[in-house]
Structure formats: structure tokens, C-alpha cells
Amino acid sequence: CEALRNIKHRNLVKIITVYSSVDSLGNDFKALVYEYMEKASLEKWLHPPTDIEEAREAPKSLNLLQTLSIAIDVACALD
């Protein structure tokens, strides 16, 4: 979590902080708090909704070249 928090790259959303605790049942709880994204998440671009109502509000889908470019950029950032 700390390593991800320190990564800075133009293609990755900034992680504001990390959180680790124990829930009421004694299970470990870990969370990453990301910077807010104004124009929706990348997931909605890569996997558009199939429901007609949701699809009206969703962004247009990406073509194969755009999707591949994003995947390569993210892989390079993590490398």
C-alpha cells in the first residue's frame, strides 16, 4: 500500500492515503483512498454498461487501439 501511495504517473489516479484496521468481527480491513475523478472511472470506459438506461449516461466506449494504449501506459507506470 505504501509503495502504491508513492507512485506518481500521469496515467494513474493519485492515492491520497492508505488505511488499515480491524473490523467489528476481528477481520483485517485495508483501504486505499483515491483522488476523486471528475469524468467517471476508467472502468466505465473499458466496460460500458449493457443496461439501456445506464448506457445513455455512460461515456462512449473506447476502440481497441485506445484500450491497448491505456493498458500499455498503466503497465509502464507500474513497472
Side-chain angles (χ1 to χ4, degrees):
C1 288
E2 287 297 325
L4 287 173
R5 184 173 179 236
N6 293 321
I7 292 175
K8 290 176 177 51
H9 191 275
R10 65 183 178 90
N11 294 320
L12 297 177
V13 178
K14 180 181 176 185
I15 296 176
I16 296 173
T17 191
V18 297
Y19 180 77
S20 180
S21 183
V22 178
D23 67 13
S24 60
L25 301 174
N27 299 316
D28 284 340
F29 174 81
K30 297 181 189 291
L32 299 173
V33 179
Y34 290 93
E35 189 174 70
Y36 176 72
M37 289 183 62
E38 269 186 54
K39 300 193 182 215
S41 71
L42 183 58
E43 180 181 8
K44 288 183 181 180
W45 282 95
L46 295 174
H47 308 286
T50 55
D51 184 298
I52 294 172
E53 289 298 318
E54 290 179 26
R56 287 185 193 153
E57 297 174 12
K60 294 179 182 176
S61 60
L62 302 172
N63 65 36
L64 180 61
L65 207 54
Q66 292 169 315
T67 303
L68 185 59
S69 177
I70 290 169
I72 291 169
D73 284 348
V74 171
C76 288
L78 291 173
D79 182 41

